[in-house]
Amino acid sequence: MRKVILFLFVAVTLVSAEIYSLMNFQPSSGAQTELFRSLAFEVVQIHEDGSVDFVANSLERRTILENGLSVTIKIADMQAYYQARNGTGRSMGGFYTWDEVSVWIDSLVAANPTITSVQSIGNTYQDRPQRVVKISVNNSFNDDDPAMANAWYDGLIHAREGAAMRNVRYWMMWLCSNYERNGYNGYQATWLLENREIWCLPVNNVDGWVYNESTSPGGGGMHRKNMNWTAGGDGIDLNRNWSVDWGGAGSSGDPGSQTYRGTGPLSEPESSNIDTFWQSHVPAQMHSTHTYSNALIYPWGWTSSPTTHAAAYSTQGEMMVQWATGEEHYTSYYFGPSAGNTRDHAYGVHGAMSWNHETGASFAGFWPSATEVVKLSRRNLRSYLVTACLAGCQYDPHEPGVP
Ligand SMILES: [Zn+2]
């Protein structure tokens, strides 16, 4: 019966706009698990019973049927689900459109001219700027002081993860509003700005975010990848487009897959712009925020082998968990292989301690409620403080890991 429902669902969605479903896979054998992994789905959560939640589009629902995988449908149409929850009347469900974020960036920099600056580090596939805000007392954008360690923060590499941008935005506001203030917050923010160069890219995949605005202006849009559709699919997964083990397991060569890796390492401007920026502003800590599953994950993602800095990752991960409360940390291979991901590149090529922060629990999902996203932003602030504080300290390896 379950298969009949899935078959009907596949048949219906073949002829309409893309629909994303939240599925649960229950592995019945080691062979089934291996088969599931080989198909490079976008895994969002692994449960204690060993079952796996993942997101499937129309192509991937066909793949499930063709391979006879045992799945249940948790949310048939995630976009409709989030749209209903966010209600109507607020642009992007209160998550801010690209234009609104851009105006906000300008106002933040205008209000804090001595500790901020903003520049585009390059344009996206559709020629929109990737705007990075530098926050530091050394606020000249092109003057990178080698004595002040770089800490990098980005959100929305995946266009449907609005909470990621909200978390980074809150961090930026917290730093600016607490600088030179009294009290514990003031002391922390002032010390960080006097000793670190903090680089924030709140909207990484600008084109995908704008596309989600066009298809779902009230929020809840489920497009994940960038907007380079020239390969015949619907874009490239920017989190499989990096150089360490590019093309390996956990990424797909099918342009319709949500983990499609593109035509080569750093083929996409969104990732190559960042790589170029990191070459001249080497990050000591790289903190990339995603949604969801309340997990901090770190290299390696491409192999189950531990990094040479596994102990440092575990120690820092525990600090971030303790401070941010209620989260788990593990190497990203825990979710299965994910070749070509950002954290492996930032660590393996640039030597950064690299974190992929999956913010929020499953009930919050990709588009948390208005109250939940504020809670997450406050909570995750503490993990951002850890990465900023530890940048350049003893846990920073200073040299690339060996891929
Ligand atoms: Zn993501």
Side-chain angles (χ1 to χ4, degrees):
M1 184 60 187
R2 183 189 292 159
K3 277 193 178 160
V4 172
I5 293 170
L6 181 60
F7 177 78
L8 290 172
F9 189 49
V10 166
V12 167
T13 57
L14 279 175
V15 293
S16 56
E18 189 57 88
I19 290 176
Y20 297 87
S21 308
L22 185 65
M23 303 278 195
N24 181 262
F25 165 66
Q26 304 88 22
S28 54
S29 66
Q32 282 275 299
T33 300
E34 282 311 304
L35 174 62
F36 180 83
R37 283 189 168 186
S38 73
L39 296 170
F41 292 113
E42 191 223 342
V43 171
V44 290
Q45 193 150 26
I46 299 177
H47 297 282
E48 285 184 2
D49 65 0
S51 71
V52 177
D53 285 355
F54 66 105
V55 179
N57 63 17
S58 52
L59 172 91
E60 291 153 343
R61 286 190 292 272
R62 281 201 301 280
T63 303
I64 292 164
L65 273 179
E66 287 163 6
N67 287 277
L69 289 172
S70 175
V71 301
T72 52
I73 302 171
K74 285 191 153 181
I75 301 175
D77 182 343
M78 298 176 82
Q79 187 153 312
Y81 173 84
Y82 291 126
Q83 282 170 335
R85 185 164 75 180
N86 286 332
T88 56
R90 294 181 306 156
S91 64
M92 295 299 263
F95 282 79
Y96 305 98
T97 65
W98 164 240
D99 286 343
E100 288 168 344
V101 177
S102 213
V103 166
W104 168 75
I105 287 173
D106 289 335
S107 65
L108 183 82
V109 172
N112 299 278
T114 62
I115 53 170
T116 61
S117 58
V118 60
Q119 257 186 42
S120 169
I121 59 168
N123 280 1
T124 61
Y125 180 75
Q126 293 180 329
D127 270 340
R128 295 184 178 90
Q130 283 180 299
R131 304 189 76 196
V132 169
V133 177
K134 180 181 185 182
I135 306 177
S136 174
V137 296
N138 182 35
N139 70 324
S140 170
F141 198 92
N142 295 311
D143 175 19
D144 195 314
D145 184 343
M148 300 173 82
N150 293 314
W152 169 273
Y153 299 85
D154 69 81
L156 277 176
I157 187 173
H158 291 139
R160 62 186 172 213
E161 299 174 356
M165 178 268 285
R166 288 287 303 271
N167 285 185
V168 175
R169 179 179 176 275
Y170 185 80
W171 167 230
M172 296 163 72
M173 291 194 297
W174 185 91
L175 286 168
C176 291
S177 62
N178 283 293
Y179 175 66
E180 286 195 323
R181 285 184 67 179
N182 292 327
Y184 190 50
N185 285 351
Y187 174 78
Q188 289 180 97
T190 305
W191 187 88
L192 285 174
L193 266 59
E194 288 176 346
N195 292 278
R196 300 285 180 267
E197 289 169 314
I198 296 171
W199 309 88
C200 299
L201 174 63
V203 184
N204 183 338
N205 179 2
V206 187
D207 298 345
W209 187 242
V210 171
Y211 178 74
N212 275 333
E213 181 189 349
S214 72
T215 61
S216 190
M222 279 295 294
H223 186 75
R224 163 181 166 96
K225 301 185 288 181
N226 80 349
M227 291 301 289
N228 176 4
W229 293 20
T230 52
D234 59 349
I236 285 93
D237 182 356
L238 297 173
N239 205 25
R240 299 291 186 277
N241 187 236
W242 302 80
S243 65
V244 173
D245 197 41
W246 178 89
S251 70
S252 174
D254 187 327
S257 164
Q258 291 181 87
T259 58
Y260 175 53
R261 55 188 168 244
T263 53
L266 302 174
S267 61
E268 301 314 295
E270 291 87 351
S271 39
S272 69
N273 290 340
I274 294 171
D275 177 69
T276 301
F277 179 82
W278 284 347
Q279 288 173 30
S280 53
H281 305 277
V282 179
Q285 297 266 342
M286 194 289 291
H287 197 143
S288 186
T289 306
H290 294 244
T291 59
Y292 61 85
S293 70
N294 270 346
L296 284 161
I297 55 184
Y298 46 84
W300 298 119
W302 72 277
T303 172
S304 58
S305 300
T307 67
T308 47
H309 301 92
Y313 272 115
S314 182
T315 303
Q316 185 180 333
E318 191 57 28
M319 283 186 209
M320 292 162 78
V321 165
Q322 292 292 334
W323 267 47
T325 68
E327 306 207 5
E328 296 180 276
H329 65 87
Y330 23 68
T331 72
S332 46
Y333 198 86
Y334 180 80
F335 285 103
S338 56
N341 69 63
T342 317
R343 54 207 174 269
D344 284 3
H345 183 96
Y347 170 65
V349 175
H350 297 288
M353 287 294 279
S354 298
W355 304 90
N356 179 322
H357 192 149
E358 299 282 354
T359 185
S362 56
F363 74 86
F366 289 106
W367 294 83
S369 69
T371 49
E372 185 63 18
V373 77
V374 172
K375 280 187 207 167
L376 290 173
S377 297
R378 287 183 176 152
R379 194 179 77 180
N380 292 340
L381 173 79
R382 300 196 284 267
S383 70
Y384 293 154
L385 280 168
V386 174
T387 39
C389 283
L390 291 184
C393 291
Q394 56 179 321
Y395 294 113
D396 166 17
H398 296 292
E399 60 192 35
V402 180

